[in-house]
Amino acid sequence: MQKSTAHIETLCVHAGHAPDAATAAISPPIHLSTTFERDADGGYPKGFSYARAANPNRTQLETCLAALEGGSEALAFSSGVAAAMTVFQALKPGDHVICTQDAYHGVQRLLREVLQPWQLRVSFVDAADADAVRKALTSVTQLIWVETPSNPLLRITDLAAIAEIARRVHALTVCDNTFATPVLQRPFDYGMDFSMHSATKYLGGHSDVLGGVIVARTASAFSERLRLLQSEAGAVPSPFDCWLLLRGAATLHLRIRAQTENAVRIAGFLAEHQAVENVFYPGLESHPGHALAKQQMRGFGAMLSFTLRGGAAAAMRVVANAKLFARATSLGGVESLIEHRASMEGPDTKTPGNLVRVSVGVEHAGDLIADLDQALAAR
Ligand SMILES: *Cc1c(COP(=O)(O)O)cnc(C)c1O
């Protein structure tokens, strides 16, 4: 696939979106067919044979996502964790993975509860500390998994430093790029090998479809193995899921810009509020990852969290008092969400009990701030 020189705004709208060859329809038809007719001589005239292996809607989505990340190819899955599972399944028993200790809790659970019993060796370290990653390397380290900004403290990992450490030992690197999206952060610019997304979040953008994606920087034996697993293990998205995700991607740049602007204002408001102990947002100069985020990202994103004076009870009350923010987990949709994160993650969580996480939507910033103001006042 040729790498496009178009800007990301143009790629969001056009990559994978050509008018339909059969009908000239501007919005792509949804191809529900599970099977495709062969030529009399046994060939596949349009390249499609069976929908699990490939189908037109998935190909369009994968074309779009590869272009957005500037990679060689993208592979779409039925959820973010299915995408993560596929990466780990491509390894062998006895291989060693270094995973950042604040990776998405579901990815950590997958490693601990499913893959360690399958003899994958895993070390959880603080990837924001490059030395800790270097010290965790073993002779069988095959993969380093990082997530930046991370959840829920929005910690920032130096992607170039991680890629450099991995290169020396021929380990592969994956960045969970869900929070930043390719609009704000392109992991391949820093030498990462794979970018992973829960497409359920910003790529879809409307809280109505589950999806996952892995994008490869370049074709390799490992990316071929991922393609094999996509088809043969079968955790694939439906054609309608792909259609919804492609539709979402078309406005990704607009949503991210609006949501980031709102988040900057909300973070500023919270940082000044006397009920708030700490605000975790990389756009604030007080954030430990601010300088690195400024250099590595084209904006600070629309996820933030804050801790409250008054402990877990105060945090629960603020969440309970919110009216415009919906009390729900997940993130990246057009609507703002608020959650008490520790109770969502369960008893093994390291998330502070007085922490509230917010996914900022596209509403008016003034309305969102007014809602938080009244929720804080009534705590
Ligand atoms: C939601 C999420 C995932 C998991 O994705 P699903 O689509 O829920 O399977 C992985 N990483 C991050 C950062 C997420 O927010």
Side-chain angles (χ1 to χ4, degrees):
M1 192 182 303
Q2 220 184 329
K3 288 197 185 167
S4 174
T5 55
H7 294 92
I8 199 146
E9 292 82 354
T10 307
L11 294 174
C12 283
V13 179
H14 289 283
H17 283 81
D20 180 45
T23 61
I26 296 296
S27 171
I30 301 173
H31 294 278
L32 297 175
S33 188
T34 52
T35 188
F36 298 83
E37 194 179 29
R38 299 176 77 173
D39 283 336
D41 64 6
Y44 297 100
K46 308 288 184 191
F48 296 107
S49 58
Y50 184 64
R52 171 155 47 73
N55 64 76
N57 293 99
R58 200 174 87 206
T59 300
Q60 288 163 3
L61 175 65
E62 291 177 342
T63 301
C64 176
L65 297 173
L68 295 186
E69 287 279 11
S72 62
E73 66 175 321
L75 298 95
F77 295 88
S78 53
S79 68
V81 291
M85 180 67 180
T86 303
V87 171
F88 300 129
Q89 274 178 321
L91 299 171
K92 293 187 299 299
D95 283 351
H96 178 239
V97 172
I98 298 174
C99 178
T100 188
Q101 68 189 15
D102 54 359
Y104 175 73
H105 71 117
V107 168
Q108 295 196 48
R109 205 168 287 159
L110 180 65
L111 285 167
R112 286 201 174 93
E113 291 177 25
V114 181
L115 289 146
Q116 284 183 325
W118 280 82
Q119 316 309 327
L120 203 64
R121 295 186 224 173
V122 188
S123 304
F124 293 95
V125 306
D126 177 9
D129 175 359
D131 275 338
V133 174
R134 201 174 291 115
K135 285 192 191 118
L137 290 172
T138 73
S139 60
V140 289
T141 302
Q142 295 290 339
L143 190 112
I144 304 177
W145 182 285
V146 301
E147 179 179 325
T148 182
S150 74
N151 180 27
L153 297 178
L154 289 301
R155 299 180 74 238
I156 307 295
T157 291
D158 185 337
L159 293 176
I162 298 296
E164 177 58 28
I165 290 168
R167 206 163 18 243
R168 271 190 246 141
V169 298
H170 306 288
L172 296 170
T173 47
V174 181
C175 174
D176 183 334
N177 204 26
T178 300
F179 275 27
T181 85
V183 175
L184 301 181
Q185 177 170 276
R186 304 232 297 181
F188 303 153
D189 293 349
Y190 305 99
M192 300 299 284
D193 296 307
F194 295 92
S195 178
M196 174 267 171
H197 290 268
S198 167
T200 313
K201 316 295 169 50
Y202 290 102
L203 297 179
H206 296 75
S207 309
D208 54 10
V209 57
L210 278 173
V213 57
I214 304 163
V215 189
R217 178 164 48 89
T218 54
S220 64
F222 196 83
S223 69
E224 267 173 47
R225 182 106 190 124
L226 296 176
R227 188 62 81 184
L228 176 87
L229 284 164
Q230 181 194 38
S231 172
E232 303 316 315
V236 292
S238 75
F240 184 47
D241 291 350
C242 295
W243 187 94
L244 282 170
L245 290 169
L246 188 70
R247 151 177 280 218
T251 55
L252 177 66
H253 57 301
L254 299 173
R255 290 184 280 104
I256 290 291
R257 199 180 303 147
Q259 287 170 271
T260 298
E261 279 171 17
N262 282 350
V264 167
R265 288 192 51 193
I266 291 171
F269 161 78
L270 290 170
E272 297 288 302
H273 201 287
Q274 41 84 18
V276 173
E277 184 183 76
N278 239 316
V279 183
F280 302 96
Y281 183 64
L284 292 174
E285 275 173 30
S286 58
H287 189 279
H290 176 70
L292 181 57
K294 206 167 163 180
Q295 167 198 327
Q296 186 167 273
M297 302 175 71
R298 276 174 284 187
F300 300 106
M303 290 302 297
L304 59 89
S305 60
F306 57 99
T307 48
L308 283 144
R309 299 188 202 287
M316 289 296 266
R317 278 196 300 275
V318 168
V319 171
N321 292 339
K323 295 191 169 75
L324 189 54
F325 283 80
R327 274 181 301 282
T329 193
S330 198
L331 60 118
V334 290
E335 62 288 303
S336 294
L337 304 178
I338 191 163
E339 74 169 329
H340 180 251
R341 188 68 198 163
S343 54
M344 172 65 203
E345 292 184 347
D348 57 346
T349 182
K350 293 194 191 76
T351 296
N354 63 338
L355 181 133
V356 173
R357 192 185 81 172
V358 163
S359 170
V360 179
V362 301
E363 303 94 333
H364 192 282
D367 295 339
L368 294 172
I369 288 170
D371 190 37
L372 288 175
D373 200 23
Q374 68 77 25
L376 286 161
R379 78 193 178 279

